[in-house]
Amino acid sequence: MATPVGWSQGGSRSVCLAFDQLRDVIESQEELIHQLRNVMALQDENFVSKEEFQAVEKKLVEEKAAHAKTKVLLAKEEEKLQFALGEVEVLTKQLEKEKLAFEKALSNVKSKALQESCKKDQLITKCNEIESHIIKQEDILNGKENEIKELQQVISQQKQIFRNHMSDFRIQKQQENYMAQVLDRKHKKSSGMCQARSHQRPREK
């Protein structure tokens, strides 16, 4: 708890202690005054000397004056104590308000931290889902790439087969052309021989 301005931490206890001490002093002074009055009453009954009476009377006056001063001092100390208690009450109320405000602020901070934690968890979950989806997509893409590679190999093989067929076809075509040329030459040659024979027969007649 905060202490009042100008008031030390032990100030309140010191005031209470001084208040108790003053009260004890007043009680002892009142007891002494009561005893002096009894003595004076006894002196009224018994004969005492004037000096003794004056001494007792003087002491009584002094005790009354001291008692009055003590009462004034006690009143001042009581006033200080009431003022200190008033400040303590004000500070206690202020501390209670600050405590409530702090608890409210702390509750807001905790609530915000909880919300941020939930958002973080949601983001982590979402990131994990996206990462899992990416891994699946990569697996699919890798499968597609493997299929493409296999198709490329098939196409390459088909191209090679086609080239081989084309090469065989060209060779066959060349052979057919060659055979056609040979047959054509033979045909022409045989035709020429037939024509020559036909020209020779009439001359023989």
Side-chain angles (χ1 to χ4, degrees):
M1 183 187 306
T3 56
V5 178
W7 197 265
S8 64
Q9 293 183 353
S12 179
R13 283 187 293 226
S14 298
V15 170
C16 292
L17 181 62
F19 179 77
D20 292 338
Q21 290 175 350
L22 288 172
R23 184 171 57 194
D24 293 339
V25 171
I26 291 172
E27 289 177 355
S28 64
Q29 288 176 348
E30 289 178 346
E31 180 66 24
L32 181 59
I33 292 170
H34 180 68
Q35 291 176 2
L36 288 173
R37 283 177 178 171
N38 290 335
V39 170
M40 290 177 66
L42 290 173
Q43 287 177 351
D44 288 337
E45 295 177 0
N46 302 320
F47 176 77
V48 292
S49 65
K50 184 178 180 181
E51 289 78 6
E52 290 179 356
F53 175 76
Q54 288 177 346
V56 171
E57 186 178 25
K58 182 180 179 182
K59 191 172 183 179
L60 178 62
V61 171
E62 290 175 353
E63 290 295 336
K64 284 184 177 180
H67 181 65
K69 289 181 180 179
T70 303
K71 279 189 174 181
V72 171
L73 182 60
L74 177 62
K76 290 181 179 179
E77 293 299 330
E78 284 183 345
E79 184 179 355
K80 289 181 180 179
L81 178 61
Q82 292 300 324
F83 178 76
L85 291 174
E87 286 193 343
V88 168
E89 184 178 0
V90 171
L91 291 173
T92 301
K93 291 180 179 179
Q94 183 178 355
L95 179 63
E96 188 66 24
K97 289 181 180 178
E98 292 177 356
K99 181 181 177 182
L100 292 175
F102 173 77
E103 289 177 351
K104 184 178 180 181
L106 181 62
S107 177
N108 292 335
V109 170
K110 286 183 177 179
S111 177
K112 189 173 181 180
L114 182 61
Q115 291 177 357
E116 293 297 329
S117 179
C118 291
K119 287 182 180 178
K120 184 192 73 174
D121 293 338
Q122 290 175 357
L123 287 173
I124 290 174
T125 302
K126 190 172 182 180
C127 288
N128 290 334
E129 291 176 354
I130 293 172
E131 185 176 1
S132 177
H133 181 71
I134 290 172
I135 292 172
K136 289 180 181 178
Q137 291 295 325
E138 287 179 349
D139 292 338
I140 293 172
L141 290 174
N142 290 332
K144 295 293 184 183
E145 287 180 357
N146 291 331
E147 290 180 4
I148 290 171
K149 288 179 180 178
E150 291 177 357
L151 290 173
Q152 286 176 344
Q153 290 178 355
V154 171
I155 291 171
S156 178
Q157 291 175 356
Q158 289 178 349
K159 284 182 178 179
Q160 186 63 38
I161 292 171
F162 178 75
R163 289 193 191 96
N164 293 335
H165 286 323
M166 287 297 295
S167 178
D168 293 340
F169 176 76
R170 288 193 189 94
I171 293 171
Q172 184 179 358
K173 191 71 175 173
Q174 288 176 356
Q175 290 176 350
E176 289 177 356
N177 290 335
Y178 177 76
M179 293 297 295
Q181 290 176 1
V182 170
L183 292 174
D184 185 58
R185 283 199 297 271
K186 286 183 178 181
H187 178 69
K188 288 180 179 179
K189 187 175 181 181
S190 62
S191 296
M193 290 178 66
C194 289
Q195 288 177 359
R197 287 177 183 175
S198 63
H199 289 297
Q200 290 176 358
R201 283 177 185 172
R203 289 177 182 174
E204 290 177 356
K205 288 180 178 181

